[in-house]
Amino acid sequence: KNQVEQSPQSLIILEGKNCTLQCNYTVSPFSNLRWYKQDTGRGPVSLTIMTFSENTKSNGRYTATLDADTKQSSLHITASQLSDSASYICVVSAHSGGGADGLTFGKGTHLIIQP
Amino acid sequence: DAMVIQNPRYQVTQFGKPVTLSCSQTLNHNVMYWYQQKSSQAPKLLFHYYDKDFNNEADTPDNFQSRRPNTSFCFLDIRSPGLGDAAMYLCATNRDLNQPQHFGDGTRLSIL
């Protein structure tokens, strides 16, 4: 069964500090891995998408890494800001012959930035 | 400007009273999805349209139906809402499967 596990479940850090969120998956055959940011009461917004051949991708202060061998990804946030407070969701896409059920969502990491 | 628009943002209905949630998109994307998201849980795919082709997830209750009258609009109909259907309902689009999805801000549904 395809699964995506995220850790930690929640995290509190001080403004200006860095943090790293983890995503482990057992999705096969792998197509791509996406990180989304979901603010409270809003829809998820795409941060990065990585395919098998990519092992790092940045979007401003967000840097995602992918190790397809160990089936692990991380999202590193640099110099955190109060606006980074949100849930971060890891989504892994499998090659499924075109079916949308190829997407497996993690439960997210709830990040709180304190001033 | 919002590209995936969901209306209303908040919807309250009575137990058993049919309700319709709407989603529109200005992206001209081929695929439109409906997800159910309960508190502290991952979004759960209910169904999706690829153009006019409707694809239902195996575990989506029959109580949930969808319509896509044209490329821009997609509706979620809940025929007889139960208390367990209270959730955030998210609409998403993408140009093709395996492309990043663009989500709306959701409709939070409450059942009285």
Side-chain angles (χ1 to χ4, degrees):
Chain A
K1 181 181 177 183
N2 290 337
Q3 288 187 317
V4 174
E5 300 288 341
Q6 291 189 243
S7 62
Q9 189 173 5
S10 60
L11 180 64
I12 302 174
I13 64 171
L14 292 176
E15 185 180 11
K17 298 296 186 182
N18 304 334
C19 66
T20 300
L21 313 181
Q22 300 290 343
C23 173
N24 297 339
Y25 63 92
T26 57
V27 175
S28 181
F30 176 85
S31 175
N32 60 65
L33 184 144
R34 315 162 189 197
W35 282 95
Y36 286 88
K37 177 187 179 189
Q38 186 174 21
D39 292 318
T40 300
R42 306 293 297 271
V45 174
S46 178
L47 295 175
T48 63
I49 179 169
M50 288 183 293
T51 58
F52 185 88
S53 59
E54 298 174 296
N55 54 24
T56 187
K57 184 166 279 190
S58 292
N59 178 357
R61 294 180 296 102
Y62 301 101
T63 299
T65 65
L66 173 65
D67 185 334
D69 291 331
T70 62
K71 298 186 177 180
Q72 295 179 326
S73 176
S74 64
L75 181 68
H76 186 73
I77 304 175
T78 304
S80 60
Q81 301 176 358
L82 297 178
S83 59
D84 293 331
S85 294
S87 287
Y88 291 83
I89 303 173
C90 177
V91 183
V92 182
S93 175
H95 285 295
S96 57
D101 58 358
L103 291 179
T104 304
F105 283 72
K107 291 185 177 180
T109 291
H110 186 53
L111 176 64
I112 297 173
I113 311 297
Q114 287 187 337
Chain B
D1 290 336
M3 295 176 287
V4 181
I5 302 164
Q6 292 189 244
N7 284 307
R9 290 294 312 278
Y10 301 92
Q11 176 74 55
V12 180
T13 191
Q14 291 178 330
F15 181 93
K17 185 174 182 180
V19 65
T20 295
L21 310 182
S22 73
C23 176
S24 64
Q25 53 131 339
T26 60
L27 299 163
N28 203 34
H29 280 173
N30 295 317
V31 194
M32 295 188 77
Y33 307 77
W34 279 105
Y35 289 88
Q36 180 192 66
Q37 186 178 28
K38 296 188 175 180
S39 181
S40 301
Q41 295 185 22
K44 178 181 180 299
L45 181 64
L46 296 173
F47 24 59
H48 78 279
Y49 274 94
Y50 194 115
D51 291 331
K52 296 181 180 179
D53 293 333
F54 177 71
N55 297 270
N56 198 32
E57 293 301 295
D59 57 354
T60 298
D62 292 339
N63 199 25
F64 291 85
Q65 304 286 322
S66 185
R67 296 170 283 135
R68 189 179 186 185
N70 53 54
T71 300
S72 300
F73 285 88
C74 195
F75 300 98
L76 170 62
D77 301 308
I78 308 176
R79 293 191 296 187
S80 181
L83 297 178
D85 297 328
M88 173 78 87
Y89 290 88
L90 293 166
C91 174
T93 75
N94 55 10
R95 185 168 302 283
D96 206 341
L97 302 172
N98 277 334
Q99 296 295 311
Q101 292 171 307
H102 296 259
F103 284 84
D105 281 336
T107 293
R108 182 165 294 284
L109 178 67
S110 298
I111 313 296
L112 298 180

